[in-house]
């Protein structure tokens, strides 16, 4: 008999990057001690540039003061990967899940995140594919449509993926996206010949693709979750 694998999905709307970072840290701690189940955050960020733990500052092509003038923030994180951009009209998923519980290693986990975005793109007739050696994320030809940057601590994941629905691609001109100078960035809007539905629908589809790829069969969705929602009923423990 197949075990039903549960996932709690928080639909959060637009969340400031630092607030999302603090929330993830809290949820990681709770997941490690079994206070919460496997949890998926679905959200967007205001215009934000982030650097991974390798601190590849040279891939930021403008002074930080210029970012401030354009209304964008710059933050340093402990995720893997190079510099990237998050902003409106991107679909972001931050899984806080136990890899040990679902029986995945780090490499397979990243491959499944890639497959999640590839499957979403295919719904709109877009043939996306993983990158080559040293090229994480998902590509359409030589144009990146989805970024991946993950952190795994004691088998618990955080950070995750960002899929370009229809962001302002000019923001990417101020960086070397993911440290790859010779390739470009694209979006679902640019690549598909189909008319896109409301973004909420695409967010839902991305969640569904994630659940299917990772074999989560029981989704518990929480709508319009505030970033202040950082506590669960601690009387129930999850393995």
């Amino acid at each position: 008999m197949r075990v039903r694998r549960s996932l709690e999905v928080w639909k959060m709307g637009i969340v400031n990057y630092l607030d999302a970072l603090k929330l993830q840290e809290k949820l990681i701690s709770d997941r490690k001690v079994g206070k919460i189940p496997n949890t998926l955050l679905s959200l967007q960020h205001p215009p934000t540039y982030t650097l991974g733990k390798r601190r590849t500052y040279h891939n930021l092509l403008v002074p930080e003061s210029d970012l401030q003038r354009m209304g964008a923030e710059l933050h340093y994180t402990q995720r893997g990967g190079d510099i990237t951009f998050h902003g409106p009209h991107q679909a972001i998923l931050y899984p806080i899940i136990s890899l040990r519980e679902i029986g995945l290693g780090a490499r397979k986990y990243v491959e499944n995140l890639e497959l999640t975005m590839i499957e979403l793109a295919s719904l709109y007739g877009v043939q996306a594919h993983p990158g080559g050696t040293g090229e994480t994320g998902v590509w359409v030809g030589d144009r990146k449509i989805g970024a991946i940057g993950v952190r795994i601590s004691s088998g618990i994941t955080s950070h995750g993926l960002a899929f370009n629905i229809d962001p302002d691609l000019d923001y990417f001109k101020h960086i070397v996206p993911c440290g790859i100078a010779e390739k470009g960035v694209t979006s679902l809007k640019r690549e598909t010949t189909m008319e896109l539905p409301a973004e909420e629908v695409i967010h839902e589809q991305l969640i569904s693709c994630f659940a299917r790829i990772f074999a989560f069969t029981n989704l518990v969705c929480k709508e319009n979750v505030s970033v202040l929602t950082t506590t669960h009923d601690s009387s129930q423990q999850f393995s």
Side-chain angles (χ1 to χ4, degrees):
M1 182 177 177
R2 188 176 181 180
V3 176
R4 285 173 60 84
R5 186 181 289 173
S6 296
L7 179 70
E8 189 166 289
V9 181
W10 291 16
K11 300 175 183 178
M12 304 190 69
I14 298 177
V15 181
N16 176 273
Y17 188 82
L18 282 184
D19 288 339
L21 202 59
K22 292 175 183 176
L23 176 57
Q24 288 182 80
E25 290 298 325
K26 173 67 167 61
L27 295 179
I28 292 165
S29 297
D30 287 350
R31 187 69 191 94
K32 284 180 180 179
V33 299
K35 287 178 66 177
I36 64 169
N38 289 319
T39 301
L40 182 68
L41 309 182
S42 174
L43 50 84
Q44 295 187 57
H45 290 308
T48 307
Y49 295 90
T50 66
L51 282 159
K53 58 187 177 183
R54 289 188 289 136
R55 298 293 187 264
T56 49
Y57 194 82
H58 58 278
N59 286 326
L60 176 64
L61 303 179
V62 298
E64 189 171 346
S65 57
D66 285 6
L67 302 185
Q68 294 171 349
R69 279 194 290 271
M70 69 178 73
E73 298 179 352
L74 175 66
H75 295 297
Y76 300 87
T77 77
Q78 292 301 311
R79 63 163 173 78
D82 211 297
I83 192 168
T84 193
F85 171 77
H86 295 311
H89 312 298
Q90 256 185 356
I92 294 174
L93 295 183
Y94 291 147
I96 314 295
I97 61 178
S98 169
L99 293 183
R100 293 169 185 167
E101 180 182 295
I102 64 175
L104 291 183
R107 176 174 292 184
K108 182 61 175 176
Y109 172 64
V110 171
E111 289 175 353
N112 278 6
L113 292 180
E114 291 172 340
L115 286 174
T116 296
M117 293 189 283
I118 290 169
E119 183 172 300
L120 176 63
S122 72
L123 298 178
Y124 295 92
V126 176
Q127 293 186 336
H129 58 85
T133 302
E135 298 175 348
T136 59
V138 170
W139 304 74
V140 180
D142 61 356
R143 303 172 301 282
K144 194 166 194 175
I145 195 171
I148 292 175
V150 304
R151 181 187 178 201
I152 301 172
S153 175
S154 301
I156 306 299
T157 66
S158 59
H159 298 276
L161 64 82
F163 184 84
N164 294 337
I165 300 173
D166 187 24
D168 182 350
L169 297 181
D170 283 346
Y171 280 107
F172 290 94
K173 295 178 180 179
H174 306 301
I175 61 174
V176 179
C178 302
I180 303 172
E182 66 275 13
K183 295 190 176 182
V185 180
T186 191
S187 66
L188 185 62
K189 177 74 171 179
R190 286 199 173 191
E191 298 296 336
T192 187
T193 59
M194 299 169 60
E195 184 175 345
L196 295 182
E199 286 192 5
E200 291 80 4
V201 173
I202 300 176
H203 280 261
E204 290 284 352
Q205 291 171 330
L206 184 61
I207 292 168
S208 295
C209 292
F210 177 91
R212 186 159 46 251
I213 294 294
F214 283 89
F216 286 106
T217 53
N218 182 39
L219 301 190
V220 179
C221 296
K222 295 192 172 184
E223 304 283 346
N224 303 316
V225 179
S226 166
V227 74
L228 299 177
T229 306
T230 59
T231 59
H232 282 247
D233 181 1
S234 60
S235 65
Q236 186 174 6
Q237 300 292 305
F238 300 84
S239 60

